[in-house]
């Protein structure tokens, strides 16, 4: 429980700091991110339990990564992250999950995700801000990537990339679990 409270305090601090740097009021951030002002007030007070979609919308709007919202200060030059040390940010109904492993620093950060999709399980994503590019590398199994309504089968050993500013969905297919590594390349600066 103490870890959850500490994570909420870090999230609250990071959202408030990013909002202030971007020069946005609570009302304006809420309008752009499609999050209620009440939810933002609670979040900045380290209260509530924001869902994955809310965190993605806030990060996109603020022009930062999801992990930048959740991480404390960097601890050194090299960061090594174990998958079992990172809590899933999305859990599917059939056992799938998405874990944000880390985000690189710099003006154009890159998020590195580990995903597991069970057959028939899917995660629909809203469009991200312009300039976001996603790359998916399937390491085992098979998935269907749906980008702007068009389905693209992606099998083990294949890599797909697309502009993330359109609706997109990740769907497990075939009969076995699909494992993939996803990178999200973020443009510098907050969304307009």
């Amino acid at each position: 429980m103490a870890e959850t409270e500490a994570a909420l305090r870090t999230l609250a601090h990071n959202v408030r700091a990013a909002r202030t740097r971007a020069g946005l009021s609570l009302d304006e951030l809420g309008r752009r991110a499609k999050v209620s002002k009440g939810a933002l007030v609670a979040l900045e007070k380290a209260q509530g339990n924001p869902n994955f979609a809310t965190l993605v919308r806030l990060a996109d709007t603020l022009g930062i990564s999801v992990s930048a919202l959740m991480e404390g200060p960097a601890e050194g030059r090299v960061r090594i992250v174990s998958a079992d040390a990172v809590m899933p940010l999305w859990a599917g109904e059939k056992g799938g999950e998405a874990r944000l492993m880390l985000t690189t620093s710099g003006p154009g950060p890159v998020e590195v995700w580990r995903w597991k999709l069970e057959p028939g399980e899917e995660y629909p994503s809203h469009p991200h801000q312009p300039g976001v590019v996603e790359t998916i590398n399937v390491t085992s199994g098979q998935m269907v990537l749906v980008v702007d309504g068009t389905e693209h089968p992606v099998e083990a050993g294949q890599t797909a990339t697309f502009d993330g500013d359109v609706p997109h969905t990740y769907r497990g297919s075939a009969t076995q679990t699909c494992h993939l590594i996803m990178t999200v390349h973020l443009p510098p600066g907050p969304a307009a």
Side-chain angles (χ1 to χ4, degrees):
M1 195 60 129
E3 286 180 12
T4 302
E5 290 171 5
L8 269 175
R9 283 193 303 273
T10 298
L11 177 62
H13 173 268
N14 291 344
V15 167
R16 188 171 37 258
R19 179 178 62 78
T20 301
R21 276 193 310 274
L24 298 175
S25 67
L26 285 167
D27 287 324
E28 185 61 15
L29 176 58
R31 184 188 68 73
R32 291 184 187 186
K34 297 181 176 107
V35 176
S36 74
K37 181 178 179 181
L40 288 174
V41 169
L43 181 60
E44 288 193 5
K45 289 182 178 180
Q47 299 169 348
N49 186 16
N51 65 29
F52 178 55
T54 298
L55 294 176
V56 170
R57 285 194 309 271
L58 286 171
D60 279 350
T61 302
L62 292 166
I64 61 176
S65 66
V66 173
S67 63
L69 288 177
M70 302 177 62
E71 291 179 345
E75 296 179 14
R77 279 178 111 48
V78 176
R79 255 186 315 164
I80 298 174
V81 181
S82 174
D84 58 357
V86 178
M87 295 297 297
L89 289 178
W90 171 78
E93 294 178 4
K94 298 180 180 182
E97 61 184 29
R99 296 173 189 256
L100 177 57
M101 300 305 297
L102 60 85
T103 302
T104 62
S105 58
V110 176
E111 297 176 345
V112 178
W113 293 80
R114 291 180 76 133
W115 281 76
K116 177 174 80 168
L117 293 167
E118 297 299 334
E121 188 170 52
E122 66 178 40
Y123 176 79
S125 179
H126 72 284
H128 301 295
Q129 65 175 304
V132 171
V133 175
E134 293 192 19
T135 301
I136 295 172
N137 175 258
V138 176
T139 58
S140 67
Q142 181 180 352
M143 69 171 291
V144 174
L145 172 64
V146 183
V147 179
D148 207 15
T150 302
E151 294 188 359
H152 306 272
V154 186
E155 300 180 10
Q158 293 183 322
T159 301
T161 189
F162 63 96
D163 293 334
D165 61 352
V166 295
H168 50 284
T169 300
Y170 323 113
R171 182 183 315 134
S173 62
T175 57
Q176 67 184 57
T177 302
C178 176
H179 292 273
L180 61 103
I181 302 295
M182 177 177 69
T183 58
V184 180
H185 303 258
L186 304 166

